[in-house]
Amino acid sequence: MATDYDAPRKTEDDVNEDSIEELKNRRNDKNSGKVDEDEAEAAEAFELPGADLSHEELTVRVLPRQADEFTCASCFLVRHRSQLAETRNGQMYCVDCAG
């Protein structure tokens, strides 16, 4: 019989915990399936210190595509010509997307 050495091994405590009686008790326990708190509510109430950026305005300088750059037809990222892997049907593909 083959042995999976990567599978997690159960300790004696784990074996006792998974007994039929223990599983039946858990099924009958009314609180076993309840979640203590709603994760969405907890995330909304969580604030990072000093993270109030509501009064800030982002200003980003956008440059047009340069002569030595291309836009990949698969991932739509602007890449340098050195990243050009192939051209298919007039469309250029970067080394990450060419396959």
Side-chain angles (χ1 to χ4, degrees):
M1 182 171 137
T3 302
D4 183 7
Y5 291 103
D6 293 329
R9 296 190 178 100
K10 291 189 175 194
T11 63
E12 193 170 317
D13 294 335
D14 293 338
V15 172
N16 291 338
E17 188 175 294
D18 291 340
S19 68
I20 298 288
E21 291 78 22
E22 180 66 29
L23 293 173
K24 285 180 184 178
N25 289 337
R26 279 193 213 161
R27 184 177 59 188
N28 293 333
D29 186 12
K30 300 219 186 304
N31 292 328
S32 66
K34 290 187 180 179
V35 177
D36 292 338
E37 65 178 314
D38 184 17
E39 290 179 15
E41 269 184 37
E44 287 175 6
F46 185 74
E47 280 189 41
L48 295 174
D52 182 19
L53 302 174
S54 59
H55 62 281
E56 295 293 324
E57 185 175 321
L58 291 177
T59 54
V60 178
R61 185 171 166 226
V62 178
L63 297 175
R65 187 177 65 209
Q66 303 297 306
D68 62 344
E69 295 176 331
F70 72 99
T71 302
C72 177
S74 180
C75 66
F76 304 106
L77 293 175
V78 176
R79 303 284 192 129
H80 188 265
R81 289 272 181 192
S82 64
Q83 297 287 310
L84 180 63
E86 64 180 321
T87 303
R88 284 185 254 148
N89 300 328
Q91 303 221 341
M92 297 182 220
Y93 294 89
C94 68
V95 293
D96 293 332
C97 296

